Amino acid sequence: MTQTAAITEAITTLKDAETRFGLVRIESEQFFTEWFAELPEITEVEKTSLDVLRRRYLYHRGEGDLLEGTVMLLVVSPLLALAGFYDPPFKIQAESSVELVLDDVEEVLRGRIDVLVLQNQFWVVVLESKKTTLSAWSAVPQALAYLMANPHPDKPVFGMVTNGDDVLFIKLTQAPTPQYDLSRVFALFTSNRELYAILQILKRIAVAIAP
């Protein structure tokens, strides 16, 4: 009999994700170069926009913890716009449903992605935001599960997890075997340069997945 479970309940640790999907972390600079190599330059206008973004975020963050929706409005949405993900050839789909069938249809995992960026119907960038009281690392297991739901497993897929304070990037491939790696954590509190680097990486990923 098929069992159905929520991804957020079934996948709570990296060990869960690795065991369920046969995932292996590849800690090799050659595997995930998109977060540090050949990063595009950003303009002074873009830097000014990022400075405003950070200033607004710190202003609201100074009042206390921010909920997921506020993080989406203050951080994720402006970054996606600046990186070009709201323009052709990309399309945005919010709160997208995800379903994974495991163990020969014995178990079905379901969840919802905060923001799914589609390019020619390929799932290419997934963002899972969390309340600021939660570590960005806590979103990684669920993000890996969502990335495994990519309907085109021959394509590499990228993810970004954030709680607002911190941002972390993920790359996952399924062929020939499921593999992934993580970027370093970028901290918005540290300096404007952290935010500049985040935009550079998003632009680099956009180039990597564009036709």
Side-chain angles (χ1 to χ4, degrees):
M1 181 177 180
T2 302
Q3 297 180 339
T4 302
I7 287 176
T8 53
E9 296 176 359
I11 309 294
T12 60
T13 66
L14 281 176
K15 183 177 180 180
D16 288 339
E18 290 174 350
T19 301
R20 295 261 185 157
F21 307 119
L23 273 167
V24 176
R25 183 175 179 183
I26 304 298
E27 297 185 81
S28 167
E29 290 189 353
Q30 285 70 45
F31 178 77
F32 189 7
T33 61
E34 289 84 0
W35 77 268
F36 64 85
E38 299 180 6
L39 297 179
E41 295 294 328
I42 57 176
T43 66
E44 291 302 318
V45 172
E46 289 171 329
K47 288 180 180 179
T48 299
S49 296
L50 291 172
D51 293 345
V52 172
L53 186 162
R54 182 171 179 269
R55 186 164 59 248
R56 286 174 177 166
Y57 178 75
L58 294 179
Y59 168 73
H60 291 282
R61 185 68 170 90
E63 297 296 318
D65 297 327
L66 301 178
L67 295 176
E68 183 176 326
T70 306
V71 172
M72 292 290 290
L73 287 172
L74 292 176
V75 179
V76 176
S77 184
L79 279 173
L80 286 178
L82 285 170
F85 284 115
Y86 289 166
D87 303 311
F90 304 107
K91 294 183 180 180
I92 291 290
Q93 184 175 328
E95 290 290 328
S96 179
S97 297
V98 171
E99 184 172 290
L100 297 105
V101 180
L102 306 179
D103 302 326
D104 297 324
V105 200
E106 290 298 322
E107 184 177 20
V108 176
L109 301 182
R110 291 195 174 99
R112 299 188 71 82
I113 302 169
D114 292 329
V115 179
L116 177 65
V117 180
L118 304 178
Q119 193 277 321
N120 292 338
Q121 302 304 307
F122 294 141
W123 299 19
V124 289
V125 178
V126 184
L127 300 107
E128 170 72 1
S129 64
K130 292 291 184 181
K131 200 168 72 170
T132 51
T133 51
L134 298 176
S135 165
W137 288 98
S138 68
V140 172
Q142 290 83 22
L144 288 171
Y146 297 146
L147 294 172
M148 284 295 297
N150 174 24
H152 301 276
D154 58 317
K155 302 286 185 180
V157 63
F158 299 89
M160 184 181 94
V161 296
T162 182
N163 60 358
D165 294 350
D166 301 317
V167 172
L168 176 73
F169 292 93
I170 306 168
K171 180 178 181 178
L172 185 147
T173 61
Q174 295 191 46
T177 58
Q179 300 175 339
Y180 77 98
D181 199 11
L182 309 172
S183 72
R184 75 167 176 88
V185 174
F186 295 85
L188 271 69
F189 273 105
T190 305
S191 71
N192 290 344
R193 292 179 182 177
E194 293 285 278
L195 204 49
Y196 299 166
I198 291 168
L199 180 59
Q200 286 180 294
I201 294 167
L202 286 173
K203 284 176 167 285
R204 175 70 179 85
I205 289 174
V207 170
I209 63 179

